[in-house]
Amino acid sequence: MGALIGLTVDPAYRDGVAGYVGELLEAAELLAGFPLDETVEPAPVFRP
Amino acid sequence: MTIDGRGAAEIAAAVRERRVTAEEVVEATLATIAERDPALNCFTAVTAERAQAEARRVDASIAAGDDPGPLAGVPFAVKNLFDVAGLTTLAGSRINRERPPASRDAAAVRALGRAGAVLVGALNMDEYAFGFTTENSHHGPTRNPRDRERMAGGSSGGSAAAVAAGLVPIALGTDTNGSIRVPASFCGVFALKPTYGRVSRAGVALFAASFDHVGPFARSTHDLALAFDTLQGHDANDPISSTEPPAACLPHLDAGIDGLRLAIAAGDFRESGEPEVFAAVDRVAAALGVDRRVVLPETPRARAAAMLITSSEGANLHLDDLRTRAAEFDPMTRDMFLAGAFVPAAAYVQAQRFRAWYRDRLRAIFREVDVLITPTTPCAAPLVGEARRDLGGGEMWLRPHLGVYTRPFSFVGLPALTVPVHRPGALPLGVQLVAAPFAEATLFRVARRLEADGLAFAPVA
């Protein structure tokens, strides 16, 4: 994944980053487990 | 007239009535900052020459018989992510020190200046606003003026601490997940995170554009309303600025709370905190005669979605620097920014879809309730450096948890005002008042009532 976005995590930071990535993936899993109707659109504000 | 500890309205009245000059106010303010700030570390820059020049302009305007504005001669300071002409916008970072100085002030700084206020400096914060502590490794931690062993909170820690210490009567900060409300709770001052889009962010370094808000800090509801009324309104230079007409709060400050439907947030907002924070909420509720309780749905998912969006947008903003100079980030934020770069797009979009769902549920609740009462923070100000604590569910990492009660409301852009509940012999605690979009005036009515009852107040530390 890091290679895909051109981001190499220094080994010195890897444990810390892995900890936070783990939390984010848990958050993603919690959200993925919630049923949203197909009609629910994303909420970012964008005015053309 | 001495300036120490005076509020904004009081100073403006004295300046307008020529009982003191704006220049004298600035000189007294600069002297107070020079004397007290070294022990607190609120300021990263003091704009003395600019402040003296602005003060002379205010005095000249009064001498010429012109209206100097409602904030005539009132000193203020801003979190160092606001552009200030002639200063480099640090946003709490080391990397940004290389950037050229800003060529003009941020819109919010200009708005206060047009009202006669005088900028005296820029304030410390968590790097790129990612944090709740202002334990900034580049500029040093900001100390809590009510107990210097304790953190000021963050990310607008310098703003809250400068107001609490009486260095300035008004300061500006930004709030993405709680960065105005958390430090205000820890430092014991009033602060407002307005409705998303209510105050212009033009000229402000962003953290997570979906959630970033600008808002004021003060030691009284009157000064807070005065500042907010000066700031609110549409700005075409901020792409998310609302076109909702401004609704002045100051005229309604003493309207009382008769007819308002108030409720305590129950469920998740009664968990994961020290017992004393729920006691503070209960004291406020009792003073207001409130016993109704409302449970908000899916709060843990709202927090999770906010975390995913924040991390992802923050990482995207700094991706080039994360690729090439990660070692120059603050160790307090670096790993969080790096991790945010790995959030899958599907998770980000799901979080933005959940945001729409959650907004609709909260809209429904706020058709039945005018103001919701919750804790602002899960504890009073922790010690500087404190990393872990048991808040009821076993020991946990403390720093990310400090926004547990603030995050769900910035997630959907609702206005939230934190009032300082002072406790004899103990640190102050914030109680958060939340309302429907653009109902800031209602929040001020409730906050003012608590202030008038003597329950919420913000003495100079």
Side-chain angles (χ1 to χ4, degrees):
Chain A
M1 177 72 181
L4 272 177
I5 57 172
L7 180 63
T8 306
V9 176
D10 187 297
Y13 315 144
R14 209 160 277 172
D15 286 350
V17 173
Y20 285 116
V21 169
E23 285 181 26
L24 290 168
L25 293 179
E26 274 179 34
E29 197 176 319
L30 182 65
L31 273 186
F34 187 74
L36 285 175
D37 192 274
E38 283 182 8
T39 59
V40 178
E41 296 187 23
V45 177
F46 174 67
R47 297 188 189 98
Chain B
M1 176 186 173
T2 58
I3 298 306
D4 279 2
R6 305 276 180 172
E10 202 177 357
I11 291 172
V15 169
R16 292 166 68 95
E17 293 161 13
R18 301 199 196 194
R19 285 183 277 124
V20 65
T21 66
E23 201 168 0
E24 288 167 340
V25 172
V26 158
E27 292 306 333
T29 300
L30 295 174
T32 303
I33 293 169
E35 180 192 335
R36 299 205 57 204
D37 193 54
L40 298 171
N41 197 30
C42 301
F43 280 81
T44 52
V46 176
T47 52
E49 283 183 23
R50 168 182 168 146
Q52 288 157 340
E54 285 182 0
R56 282 193 292 271
R57 275 201 293 276
V58 170
D59 289 332
S61 151
I62 293 169
D66 297 333
D67 181 354
L71 290 168
V74 173
F76 76 103
V78 297
K79 187 176 184 177
N80 72 26
L81 50 57
F82 286 81
D83 282 351
V84 171
L87 286 187
T88 293
T89 308
L90 297 174
S93 72
R94 181 172 128 192
I95 289 171
N96 284 27
R97 286 179 192 170
E98 299 168 6
R99 295 189 177 184
S103 58
R104 70 186 304 217
D105 292 341
V109 175
R110 292 201 307 276
L112 293 181
R114 280 194 301 273
V118 174
L119 181 78
V120 296
L123 300 161
N124 202 7
M125 58 180 284
D126 288 286
E127 185 179 56
Y128 298 126
F130 204 167
F132 289 124
T133 67
T134 314
E135 295 168 308
N136 187 301
S137 304
H138 310 304
H139 305 283
T142 293
R143 302 271 168 182
N144 191 314
R146 307 211 182 268
D147 179 346
R148 291 179 195 170
E149 298 303 310
R150 295 184 183 270
M151 59 176 72
S155 63
S156 312
S159 308
V163 170
L167 307 186
V168 282
I170 289 174
L172 296 183
T174 57
D175 189 312
T176 306
N177 286 299
S179 283
I180 285 175
R181 294 160 287 164
V182 169
S185 173
F186 288 169
C187 292
V189 295
F190 294 90
L192 174 70
K193 182 205 77 61
T195 308
Y196 185 62
R198 193 50 139 162
V199 174
S200 174
R201 309 171 311 170
V204 174
L206 297 178
F207 166 25
S210 287
F211 303 156
D212 288 337
H213 306 67
V214 166
F217 296 76
R219 291 190 303 273
S220 71
T221 56
H222 189 283
D223 283 359
L224 194 70
L226 188 57
F228 173 62
D229 284 352
T230 304
L231 293 165
Q232 63 169 318
H234 178 65
D235 180 3
N237 292 318
D238 179 351
I240 63 95
S241 178
S242 170
T243 53
E244 187 81 12
C249 295
L250 206 49
H252 306 288
L253 198 57
D254 288 306
I257 62 167
D258 285 354
L260 293 183
R261 300 164 299 173
L262 312 178
I264 303 165
D268 292 297
F269 291 88
R270 303 292 293 190
E271 295 169 6
S272 306
E274 300 278 10
E276 61 185 1
V277 308
F278 307 121
V281 168
D282 292 343
R283 276 180 65 198
V284 163
L288 297 170
V290 179
D291 53 14
R292 181 178 175 192
R293 288 171 183 256
V294 170
V295 175
L296 275 57
E298 300 294 342
T299 303
R301 284 191 168 96
R303 293 179 187 129
M307 187 166 80
L308 287 164
I309 294 169
T310 302
S311 302
S312 185
E313 291 187 0
N316 169 271
L317 205 56
H318 300 292
L319 193 53
D320 282 346
D321 287 333
L322 291 168
R323 284 180 177 130
T324 57
R325 49 198 304 191
E328 296 171 67
F329 278 67
D330 189 329
M332 299 290 287
T333 68
R334 180 182 51 225
D335 293 356
M336 294 190 292
F337 275 120
L338 284 166
F342 297 99
V343 172
Y348 177 85
V349 175
Q350 184 76 1
Q352 288 285 15
R353 291 180 63 215
F354 180 80
R355 187 183 183 199
W357 180 90
Y358 188 72
R359 175 200 58 202
D360 291 346
R361 301 286 110 37
L362 264 56
R363 274 184 186 165
I365 287 172
F366 280 103
R367 281 195 285 272
E368 309 295 326
V369 173
D370 293 309
V371 174
L372 207 54
I373 306 165
T374 87
T376 304
T377 48
C379 55
L383 295 167
V384 173
E386 187 175 344
R388 293 179 70 81
R389 189 186 287 198
D390 184 348
L391 288 166
E395 197 176 86
M396 63 169 79
W397 292 107
L398 184 60
R399 292 184 181 100
H401 189 72
L402 297 174
V404 66
Y405 305 127
T406 51
R407 203 186 284 267
F409 302 114
S410 27
F411 177 50
V412 286
L414 299 181
L417 195 162
T418 180
V419 299
V421 175
H422 283 262
R423 306 171 302 152
L427 290 163
L429 272 170
V431 169
Q432 180 176 227
L433 309 171
V434 188
F438 305 105
E440 283 90 354
T442 309
L443 296 177
F444 274 103
R445 287 168 60 189
V446 178
R448 174 65 185 144
R449 168 64 184 272
L450 293 166
E451 186 183 40
D453 284 353
L455 191 60
F457 60 103
V460 171

